[in-house]
Amino acid sequence: MSQWDQVSEQFARLSLAADEAPIGMERVRAHEMALRLAQANQSFAEEFVARIDLTQALYYVPDDPHTLVHFTWLRRALDPVHELEEDDRHAVLWRLKWAIDLIETLPEVPLSALVAAIDDVEEVYRAEGAALRPVHAARARLAQHLDDRDAVARELSAWLAEPRDRHSDCLACEHRGQSRLVAPHDPARALDLLAPVIDGDLTCGEEPHTSLADAALLRLHLGDVEGAVSAFRRSWHLVQDDPTAALNVGTCLRVLLRLGNTDRAIDLLLPRLGWLDDLPSPWARMWFSATAAHVLDRAAAVGLAPDDIDGRPVADVVRDLTSTSDDIAAAFDARYSSTVVSRSLAAAHDPSLVPTEPTLPPTRLPTTAAPTGGRRSATRATASTDVLERARALSEALLTLDPATEDHVAAWLRDRAALLPVEAPEQWAAVGLLDRVSSVDAPGDEHRAMLESAREASQRGGDDVGVIRCDGELALLDDDGAERAREIAAHLESIGAHTEAGGLWRRLFHRPGGGELRDLERAADAYRAAESRERALLCEVETAMALAWTDPDPVADDARFSALMPRIQDIPVLRSMALDARSRIANAAGDSDSALTHLRSALEGRGLPERARIPLLLGLCEVLVEQNTYDELEEPAADLVAAATRLRDPVLLAHGQRFLGLAYVETGRPVEAAELLEAALPVLRETSPSLVGPAAWALGNALIGLGQWAPGRTAFATASTAFEAEARIMESAHAQWRAGNCAWDAGDLTAAAVHYESAAERARETATVDLYLEALRSRAALRADTEDLIAGIADLDAAIGLAQVLADEAGVDDDEFDGEVMEPHVLRQGAHLLAKHGEVDAAVARFAAAQALVGAEFEVLLRAEGAMVLADHDRLAEAEPVLREAITSLHALGLVDERVNAAGALARALDRDGRGEEAEQVWQRYGPSA
């Protein structure tokens, strides 16, 4: 007889009530009350049950060495005098394994106690004739902490050789434990051991999410980045909202850091930092604290961490977290007389393992500079400490439109402070040139200051032409300085400084607010006088572009560029500019195929600088979106994100995120899409409000794909507001309708009604008749389903008439909207609503009315659905003949989903009628495997 069968009624009621208490301390306290009652009753059976239940409840609360008393009592309960039956003995043996697990996580319990516990469990298991797999597992873990590799290998071999029985841990947990034993020295074998778990063949309450996180780290170690990302995503999906899985969350955060995505790691950590206070064991607190400190430290190093957390400087938080983890690790090291724990902790949080650049598309950008200024590796000239060499290289690159110009400028801005001051006049003249050219790229408001510095340097170097050119550039920064700059440009020409004159004339054309075409023509003339072929051609290309934008004539404009192409084919920058312009001309004329051809041709050209590629990539993405060619969108969008990351350009990043997110939405990757689109929206809202609507719409689609209805509703509502702000009322109406659908699915019926009514109002305003009808139908269905069935059905039946009135008022012809075509659909919708609320006869009548209006496949489907309603309400005599005929017809028509649904309804009805064999026959013949 089991111990439960021997308890009193009073104890049984209290124990069962305790089982219903919420998991955590409330359940522990409830079972402690049961234990006190058992002790008061002096009942061994009741105390046994109470301690068995209590050790189960304690599994979900912070570890406490005092709870070991329960395991000690249960160990004594195995004494033959108590005559425990097999199941009760099994329950004790299982909990003795928990006692070892508990001791392992508590560094204050001495090593001798842990060894004694393992020895005792072995003695008990041998006495019970149980397999020793848990004992060998515990000894292997102990050997690992003692840094005894030979003992680890020996115990692991014994573990694998021992047979399994009912006292063994589940296979999934065993594979995870074995993998962790070999991972430090054989990551490939460790990954192989996890394979059955991560493949889904072995699962349990803790798996596969724990093994997936481990596998992500192992795959990174083995160089399988794609596999690591996949494992990370699967694990994160399972653990992200579970504080009890904090160790797995920490592993996932370390994976992100090792992918270089500190941006994602910090954003995911911050809302979970509070989990630390409730972690159940010192072991868990040690690891989570170390990982949190690591993430915050790496984020702070690149400007991604907040300045403070809960009012405390982030540096103080990092210090405290590190101290917590270090102190606990030291306690474990002291217990084991080894440094295994602290070394493992340090290795897992090694800053050198965090790349400077992200693997996954970033959600935010660091505020620190990218390596080599975010561009290609530095050339010898850009790395030189000789300012004369740098100036010569930059001057030559400027004149020949060499893509290396960007590198030279970025390198000067990066190294300038370290190379100044210089001594010789010619060096100062070189500094003047470097400062003047680089001033356009100077960060923030430093343009004027750098120009003034360039003027001073030119003056110190005796470069009179450089001084005059700086005066012209400075004049352009004044609101009324254009005429002064023209005078200076003309003066430069008069003294034979044609190259500098050409540069200033061109800067006049490109000044803020727009210049005059005559300035660009003067620039071309000056460059020709200087025999600077490439820069003269640059001005010709820019002239053609200006004419195309100011006085568009697609045929003439394209002909102008066609004439230029032979002369610029050998100059990558000019060729790309011309092809970009031709693509815009073609696209404006409705020829998107030619636009794509031009853009792809431009991007295929070698030697393009980063800045020349960006407008081409933006244009290519726009055209691909217009053509709905989403399978081709991912590559250029990813290139945009990568370029933005290199350039540390948050606005460009948001545009790249929008395109890449859209590509992911349309190709079935909603998780990645939502990440990027959510990150892009705040930046787009500030810099490109016209894009907020499309981006939020795409985000809503991604969230729907994830079943996240409430956030989806927010996204579509955001889209609607943004569309309305851009006077795109029709799109705003569609977004309101989608928001209503999401609100209904999320259970927010009041919001759903408001969204549907808003959709109907806006659809009416824009005479979008089909959407107006859909909004009216949705609002009516909502009312019928949740408020008033009869009134809702009446509203539904009135919807077509209202839509027809709008169509007539707006002059919409029958080809665009035909109420008679919609009538069977409305009848069908109402029938399903009636059936859902038990109005079977009324539902069947509506199905019949709809059938009378249609033919072919739709008629068969309606007939089947009407019969399915009868079958679901156990009116089998009426339903069976109709369903059997309809199923055969649906099968012949190839309507698989509809056939399976009808077969399921008939099979269920037959089974409820006691005709199980016939039900099985129907399902076998017409179910999903038919």
Side-chain angles (χ1 to χ4, degrees):
M1 182 184 297
S2 73
Q3 298 304 305
W4 175 256
D5 292 335
Q6 302 175 52
V7 304
S8 66
E9 260 188 55
Q10 180 190 21
F11 176 86
R13 285 195 301 272
L14 188 59
S15 179
L16 291 172
D19 287 340
E20 298 301 317
I23 289 176
M25 286 307 302
E26 189 171 343
R27 183 173 293 186
V28 169
R29 285 191 288 269
H31 281 297
E32 287 175 339
M33 288 179 60
L35 176 60
R36 287 193 291 272
L37 175 61
Q39 291 171 329
N41 291 343
Q42 297 184 350
S43 167
F44 171 83
E46 291 179 0
E47 187 163 357
F48 178 87
V49 171
R51 291 189 190 272
I52 286 288
D53 290 342
L54 190 52
T55 49
Q56 177 78 44
L58 286 166
Y59 196 82
Y60 300 99
V61 300
D63 294 345
D64 184 343
H66 295 96
T67 62
L68 288 170
V69 65
H70 302 298
F71 297 102
T72 302
W73 190 97
L74 290 170
R75 166 66 178 87
R76 293 197 298 268
L78 292 172
D79 191 292
V81 70
H82 297 300
E83 299 181 340
L84 293 182
E85 68 159 20
E86 184 179 351
D87 285 347
D88 286 337
R89 299 183 76 82
H90 170 67
V92 174
L93 264 63
W94 198 266
R95 280 158 177 76
L96 292 181
K97 293 187 298 180
W98 292 355
I100 293 175
D101 294 341
L102 175 61
I103 294 172
E104 286 177 338
T105 68
L106 298 170
E108 63 267 39
V109 179
L111 179 62
S112 59
L114 175 56
V115 173
I118 297 173
D119 290 343
D120 187 54
V121 170
E122 179 175 359
E123 179 183 336
V124 170
Y125 270 55
R126 287 188 184 280
E128 293 291 323
L132 298 180
R133 292 177 74 90
V135 175
H136 292 304
R139 292 198 188 284
R141 295 193 299 270
L142 175 60
Q144 189 174 52
H145 285 127
L146 294 174
D147 206 13
D148 187 344
R149 288 181 61 180
D150 292 339
V152 172
R154 185 171 59 251
E155 293 296 339
L156 177 57
S157 296
W159 181 3
L160 294 169
E162 190 77 5
R164 286 184 55 80
D165 63 10
R166 67 183 303 210
H167 305 295
S168 303
D169 288 330
C170 80
L171 271 171
C173 289
E174 284 200 334
H175 276 260
R176 179 188 69 234
Q178 292 158 6
S179 172
R180 288 179 171 178
L181 289 174
V182 303
H185 310 291
D186 193 348
R189 184 186 176 195
L191 192 59
D192 287 342
L193 284 164
L194 293 179
V197 185
I198 61 182
D199 290 344
D201 297 331
L202 301 175
T203 60
C204 70
E206 297 178 4
E207 295 298 348
H209 47 274
T210 303
S211 290
L212 283 167
D214 288 359
L217 280 178
L218 289 168
R219 289 190 184 281
L220 275 180
H221 185 80
L222 294 169
D224 180 9
V225 175
E226 186 175 344
V229 170
S230 174
F232 155 75
R233 288 197 182 282
R234 289 176 61 198
S235 180
W236 184 257
H237 175 70
L238 296 169
V239 304
Q240 60 182 318
D241 298 318
D242 183 4
T244 67
L247 284 176
N248 300 326
V249 165
T251 304
C252 288
L253 295 178
R254 293 197 299 279
V255 170
L256 285 174
L257 285 182
R258 294 195 187 184
L259 289 169
N261 286 100
T262 305
D263 56 315
R264 293 170 180 254
I266 184 65
D267 288 344
L268 294 180
L269 168 68
L270 290 175
R272 296 167 178 83
L273 199 53
W275 290 5
L276 181 62
D277 297 333
D278 298 319
L279 293 181
S281 70
W283 184 263
R285 287 193 293 278
M286 176 185 72
W287 275 99
F288 196 79
S289 295
T291 299
H294 187 39
V295 172
L296 287 169
D297 177 67
R298 292 300 84 206
V302 293
L304 288 172
D307 293 333
D308 60 77
I309 296 174
D310 293 334
R312 300 184 61 219
V314 71
D316 292 351
V317 176
V318 171
R319 185 188 63 243
D320 289 351
L321 289 169
T322 303
S323 176
T324 296
S325 62
D326 287 350
D327 289 348
I328 299 173
F332 277 114
D333 284 349
R335 177 167 81 178
Y336 292 117
S337 298
S338 76
T339 58
V340 170
V341 173
S342 57
R343 281 190 285 114
S344 299
L345 203 66
H349 302 94
D350 183 355
S352 69
L353 296 177
V354 181
T356 56
E357 296 302 291
T359 300
L360 298 176
T363 53
R364 290 194 291 140
L365 292 174
T367 58
T368 55
T372 66
R375 298 168 174 87
R376 295 176 294 277
S377 299
T379 64
R380 185 176 68 85
T382 61
S384 173
T385 58
D386 184 349
V387 294
L388 294 175
E389 183 179 1
R390 288 190 182 229
R392 282 193 296 271
L394 177 57
S395 180
E396 182 180 344
L398 278 171
L399 291 174
T400 59
L401 304 182
D402 188 333
T405 301
E406 289 185 19
D407 293 333
H408 295 305
V409 169
W412 176 247
L413 291 173
R414 181 194 64 212
D415 302 334
R416 180 178 181 274
L419 296 176
L420 293 180
V422 293
E423 297 179 0
E426 63 269 23
Q427 290 177 315
W428 279 113
V431 169
L433 170 70
L434 289 164
D435 272 359
R436 176 173 55 76
V437 174
S438 302
S439 65
V440 178
D441 284 354
D445 300 326
E446 297 178 23
H447 186 181
R448 180 183 291 274
M450 186 163 278
L451 275 176
E452 290 171 345
S453 176
R455 187 184 190 284
E456 181 183 353
S458 297
Q459 197 166 28
R460 294 178 68 173
D463 181 6
D464 295 338
V465 170
V467 171
I468 297 170
R469 173 68 189 272
C470 287
D471 286 340
E473 296 281 355
L474 285 165
L476 286 174
L477 297 182
D478 298 328
D479 293 339
D480 57 352
E483 287 307 316
R484 168 68 179 150
R486 286 193 177 95
E487 292 173 2
I488 294 172
H491 176 61
L492 285 168
E493 282 187 290
S494 71
I495 63 176
H498 296 294
T499 299
E500 298 301 337
L504 189 54
W505 283 119
R506 183 169 173 269
R507 291 280 295 133
L508 270 158
F509 176 75
H510 288 291
R511 72 184 187 277
E516 299 177 18
L517 198 56
R518 64 187 174 103
D519 297 327
L520 199 53
E521 292 167 347
R522 287 288 295 271
D525 290 340
Y527 281 131
R528 291 188 195 99
E531 297 184 352
S532 178
R533 169 179 170 266
E534 289 87 350
R535 294 201 73 81
L537 285 171
L538 169 63
C539 294
E540 289 188 50
V541 170
E542 289 179 329
T543 299
M545 293 170 66
L547 290 170
W549 309 150
T550 56
D551 188 17
D553 179 346
V555 176
D557 293 336
D558 194 66
R560 193 179 294 115
F561 281 106
S562 295
L564 273 171
M565 292 304 294
R567 293 192 289 147
I568 61 176
Q569 282 291 351
D570 61 333
I571 308 173
V573 171
L574 299 186
R575 179 177 177 276
S576 73
M577 289 173 62
L579 287 170
D580 183 27
R582 295 183 75 181
S583 76
R584 295 171 187 270
I585 293 166
N587 204 40
D591 186 0
S592 60
D593 289 336
S594 293
L596 279 180
T597 299
H598 291 315
L599 288 166
R600 285 177 170 143
S601 177
L603 285 164
E604 287 169 1
R606 294 184 178 181
L608 276 182
E610 191 93 270
R611 285 180 181 168
R613 285 179 53 80
I614 287 170
L616 298 173
L617 288 169
L618 287 167
L620 179 59
C621 289
E622 288 286 4
V623 176
L624 289 172
V625 170
E626 289 174 16
Q627 290 192 340
N628 296 324
T629 316
Y630 297 108
D631 56 334
E632 299 179 24
L633 178 60
E634 180 179 348
E635 183 177 352
D639 283 349
L640 272 179
V641 170
T645 304
R646 288 190 294 272
L647 296 171
R648 298 294 193 258
D649 186 334
V651 177
L652 180 61
L653 177 66
H655 286 277
Q657 288 169 331
R658 180 177 79 89
F659 285 124
L660 190 53
L662 186 56
Y664 286 158
V665 169
E666 299 296 337
T667 55
R669 298 167 65 179
V671 173
E672 295 97 318
E675 291 170 350
L676 295 177
L677 292 165
E678 285 177 334
L681 273 174
V683 179
L684 294 177
R685 190 175 285 113
E686 292 296 322
T687 61
S688 304
S690 64
L691 296 178
V692 171
W697 177 278
L699 175 59
N701 286 334
L703 294 169
I704 285 177
L706 297 172
Q708 297 182 13
W709 308 115
R713 175 215 163 192
T714 300
F716 283 119
T718 298
S720 178
T721 301
F723 282 135
E724 186 175 23
E726 297 292 320
R728 297 168 64 176
I729 306 303
M730 183 177 70
E731 289 98 324
S732 177
H734 277 283
Q736 284 290 336
W737 181 64
R738 297 292 297 279
N741 293 341
C742 287
W744 192 349
D745 285 329
D748 191 343
L749 306 181
T750 301
V754 171
H755 286 306
Y756 288 143
E757 288 162 3
S758 178
E761 179 183 342
R762 296 171 196 214
R764 179 173 181 78
E765 179 183 343
T766 57
T768 312
V769 181
D770 54 349
L771 177 60
Y772 180 59
L773 176 58
E774 286 302 316
L776 292 176
R777 289 175 62 184
S778 297
R779 179 63 186 96
L782 177 66
R783 185 180 186 190
D785 197 36
T786 63
E787 301 171 23
D788 185 330
L789 177 64
I790 302 304
I793 294 295
D795 289 346
L796 184 62
D797 289 338
I800 292 179
L802 293 171
Q804 190 62 62
V805 169
L806 176 60
D808 294 342
E809 291 175 352
V812 175
D813 59 35
D814 290 346
D815 290 338
E816 295 183 62
F817 178 79
D818 188 343
E820 291 183 1
V821 171
M822 297 305 302
E823 188 173 354
H825 296 278
V826 171
L827 286 168
R828 179 192 185 198
Q829 184 180 11
H832 282 294
L833 287 165
L834 289 165
K836 180 180 178 181
H837 290 273
E839 298 293 335
V840 177
D841 290 332
V844 171
R846 284 185 75 99
F847 278 122
Q851 282 176 245
L853 299 175
V854 299
E857 295 179 1
F858 198 11
E859 189 274 334
V860 175
L861 177 59
L862 291 168
R863 184 155 32 96
E865 289 181 347
M868 287 165 64
V869 169
L870 292 170
D872 288 342
H873 289 81
D874 293 325
R875 290 167 61 170
L876 188 56
E878 300 167 76
E880 183 176 358
V882 179
L883 270 179
R884 288 190 180 275
E885 179 186 354
I887 290 170
T888 303
S889 299
L890 291 169
H891 183 63
L893 291 167
L895 300 176
V896 178
D897 291 341
E898 293 81 357
R899 181 203 72 211
V900 171
N901 290 336
L906 178 56
R908 289 191 298 271
L910 289 169
D911 191 55
R912 289 194 300 272
D913 197 44
R915 297 159 64 183
E917 187 173 336
E918 290 181 65
E920 185 64 26
Q921 290 173 351
V922 168
W923 190 242
Q924 288 296 325
R925 186 172 181 183
Y926 294 111
S929 58

